[in-house]
Structure formats: structure tokens, C-alpha cells
Amino acid sequence: MPFSTYPLLNRRSSECSSLSFEMHPPLDRPHPDCEEQISDLKICHAESWKKYLGRCNNIKVRLDNCLKAEKKRLLDEMNVNLVEQKLKEQDVIKEAFGKSETFEEYLARDRDYQAELSKKRGREQKL
């Protein structure tokens, strides 16, 4: 079959941006939230003719959505005390360098930096 008969292969990537051809992460590590979808996909792929005809696509979409939700939940759990951790890191950096102010405080006090920042904001507002 010539290349031109495959319409998805002839399109540019910008035209196919709404199509999702991304692979899911490895399923051999534990995904406690998505065990049901993983087993459904493995069962569907066991019958090889189904995966080649696109019969497993709905299951894969459900798995992808579940994995996204799991990733969001894990990131939220990891970042619960993010502000406190950053403040502790800044205190450690202050002690290590013998400085009494953070870099952000220094930049807020620096006149040259503030002048350049206001110029940049003015250019952005013109656009």
C-alpha cells in the first residue's frame, strides 16, 4: 500500500496535535489506583487481533486518565509542605554563605535589576 493512502502518516505533527499517540509508563511497577485498568488492558492485549484492530483503545484511554490522576495525586502529596521546605533551604543557604538575606531579597533591593525589570514589563505591555 503506498504511503499516501495512510492519511495520519501524511499529516504534519501540528495537524495531529489533538490525536494522542503517547505511550503509557511501564506497567510492571505498582500502580495501586489503576490495577483494574491495567489488568483489563493486559487481557485485551492477550487476544492479539483486538489490539491490532483498535478494540483496546477505550481501555487504554481509561488507563491513561487513571495514570494522570494518580500522578497528580502523588505530586500533590509530595508538595504538601513545599513552601516550608523552600524556606528551610533558604535558611541553610544563608548560613552556608554567611549572608543575612536571600537572593530574592537582594534582587528586590538592586536598583539596576529593578530598572531592567520595569523596562521588560513596559515592552510586554506594548505587545
Side-chain angles (χ1 to χ4, degrees):
M1 195 173 249
F3 182 73
S4 62
T5 58
Y6 294 104
L8 291 178
L9 296 177
N10 291 333
R11 294 184 184 172
R12 293 190 174 114
S13 61
S14 61
E15 294 173 358
C16 296
S17 62
S18 63
L19 300 174
S20 177
F21 294 112
E22 296 177 14
M23 293 182 64
H24 51 71
L27 300 178
D28 54 351
R29 74 172 181 85
H31 294 279
D33 298 347
C34 306
E35 289 299 323
E36 180 182 342
Q37 289 85 357
I38 291 171
S39 64
D40 289 346
L41 186 65
K42 286 182 179 179
I43 290 170
C44 187
H45 281 184
E47 299 180 34
S48 63
W49 64 272
K50 284 186 176 181
K51 69 179 175 182
Y52 294 120
L53 296 176
R55 302 285 176 144
C56 301
N57 290 350
N58 292 334
I59 298 170
K60 185 183 180 310
V61 169
R62 284 191 297 129
L63 175 63
D64 289 343
N65 291 335
C66 181
L67 291 172
K68 285 178 188 177
E70 180 187 51
K71 182 178 180 179
K72 183 182 181 328
R73 182 186 58 81
L74 291 173
L75 285 173
D76 289 344
E77 287 177 8
M78 288 183 348
N79 294 328
V80 168
N81 300 325
L82 188 63
V83 174
E84 295 172 8
Q85 291 174 359
K86 286 193 180 263
L87 290 175
K88 287 179 185 177
E89 288 174 6
Q90 288 178 357
D91 291 340
V92 169
I93 290 171
K94 283 181 191 177
E95 290 178 22
F97 290 109
K99 303 289 181 181
S100 61
E101 63 184 353
T102 65
F103 185 65
E104 288 80 14
E105 293 169 343
Y106 171 78
L107 287 178
R109 195 173 44 81
D110 186 20
R111 290 182 183 153
D112 294 334
Y113 176 75
Q114 293 300 324
E116 290 297 321
L117 193 60
S118 65
K119 286 180 190 176
K120 180 182 175 187
R121 287 181 185 145
R123 287 191 302 260
E124 289 175 354
Q125 288 177 352
K126 289 180 182 178
L127 297 175

